[in-house]
Amino acid sequence: MLLKTIRLFLLCFGVSAFAQVGGESTYQFLNLVSSPRQAALGGKVFTNVDYDVTQPLYNPATINVEMDNQLALNYASYLGGINYGTAAYAYTWDRHVQTFHIGVTYVNYGDFDGYDELGNPTGTFTGNEAALSFGYAAQIGYSDFYVGGNLKLITSKLEQYNSFGAAIDAGLIYINEDLDFQATVVVRNLGSQITTYAGLREPLPFEVGFGMSQKLDNVPLRWHITFENLQKWPIGVSNPARSTTDLEGNQTEEEVSFFSNVLRHTIVGVELFPDKGFNFRLGYNFRRGEELRIVDQRNFSGLSAGVSLKLNKFRFSFTHARYTSAGNSNFFGLQLDLR
């Protein structure tokens, strides 16, 4: 059983036809940060196997009994006045059946003024998208490996156009309790549009990711490292603003090196006091930092920091993430223990 599962994930690594990154597929909101904790640790973490009931929205293999009767509500004040939020809940049926998970992601793009080709106003319109997910995870025999899956139903409305789709996520995670170490492989957003906006079928933002994390001995710190979008290489694109011109007027495009491409797949994060009622989190997203930074100007793009405070049955979280000098985002979260 274990060998078949590993072969399935290796097969997914070789699927180059699904190579997608931002701007190349529909339902991009599926890649929005799911919680303040995710945002603080760089925007994408796959290895939180604890109380964090929002984590399975990114990796269903992390569903566990510690999430039983936990309810999370998260809100983000995003770029351009966009508002979105997530909600998640988990319930443990019993020790044999284990834990089920349900999650929602919703984004509202606000109101827009419409005009025809002559510039005449046609009224206002709105846009919103949502995804509903159902997840479950199970241990593979008596091993240290756990496998999980999400089924996602997706709806999108942009002005007069509507679309409906479905996708699955699959995760395989290795948990070493002696070393307090986790490593995981995740396949996300494997699916299709069922109904299209206007007859043109578009791909979903398929992604393969790999992550590791570990809590250090004698130090109240857990480190995280995530490698995102492994289905696409290279991921870096030269920036026209960084091209150079010699004395003869010849222009040379920016060269994205192999090492730079590796970094653009990489996200790092640390969590101080991970097992306590108060946590401090810090992360850096190399691709965001490289692609959104302004030439010859320091603006700390890609950096994020957050805190979490637990009071009785409530856990409050807040994160500030740097995107560009023109716009940054704040994330707010509340998790309730309903046991």
Side-chain angles (χ1 to χ4, degrees), residues 292-301 322 324-326:
L292 297 184
R293 72 179 177 91
I294 299 175
V295 179
D296 299 327
Q297 180 178 333
R298 179 177 298 177
N299 66 338
F300 302 100
S301 294
R322 300 285 295 178
T324 71
S325 57

Side-chain angles (χ1 to χ4, degrees), residues 12 15 18-20 187-190 204-208 229 231:
C12 291
V15 183
F18 290 105
Q20 311 292 340
V187 176
R188 302 182 61 248
N189 304 324
L190 179 60
L204 271 63
F206 175 82
E207 178 187 11
V208 176
N229 286 298
Q231 80 286 351

Side-chain angles (χ1 to χ4, degrees), residues 193-204:
Q193 287 181 302
I194 297 174
T195 61
T196 64
Y197 294 106
L200 177 63
R201 191 168 300 278
E202 302 172 82
L204 271 63

Side-chain angles (χ1 to χ4, degrees), residues 24 31 36 42 99 141 170 174 195 207 218 251 276 283 304 312 324 326-327 330-331:
E24 301 175 0
N31 287 328
T99 306
Y174 167 75
T195 61
E207 178 187 11
N218 305 316
Q251 193 172 65
K276 302 298 182 181
S304 55
N312 197 9
T324 71
N330 294 311
F331 300 82

Side-chain angles (χ1 to χ4, degrees), residues 228-273:
E228 63 165 347
N229 286 298
L230 295 179
Q231 80 286 351
K232 179 166 184 174
W233 186 273
I235 198 173
V237 179
S238 60
N239 186 342
R242 298 174 195 162
S243 60
T244 58
T245 305
D246 60 22
L247 296 176
E248 298 178 354
N250 299 314
Q251 193 172 65
T252 303
E253 295 291 331
E254 176 194 25
E255 182 178 352
V256 182
S257 66
F258 174 84
F259 181 69
S260 180
N261 267 298
V262 172
L263 284 181
R264 295 188 195 202
H265 285 276
T266 306
I267 300 171
V268 294
V270 293
E271 190 169 18
L272 190 63
F273 310 117

Side-chain angles (χ1 to χ4, degrees), residues 2 7 9 22 56 61 74 103-104 112 119 123 131 136 138 156 161-162 170 186 198 214 288 326 336:
L2 176 60
R7 289 195 192 104
F9 276 90
N74 305 291
V104 176
F112 299 87
Y136 180 75
S156 176
Y161 301 99
N162 295 274
V186 183
Q214 184 178 31
R288 185 194 303 163
L336 296 83

Side-chain angles (χ1 to χ4, degrees), residues 22 50 153 173 219 251 299 317:
D50 50 26
L153 304 177
I173 192 167
V219 179
Q251 193 172 65
N299 66 338
S317 299

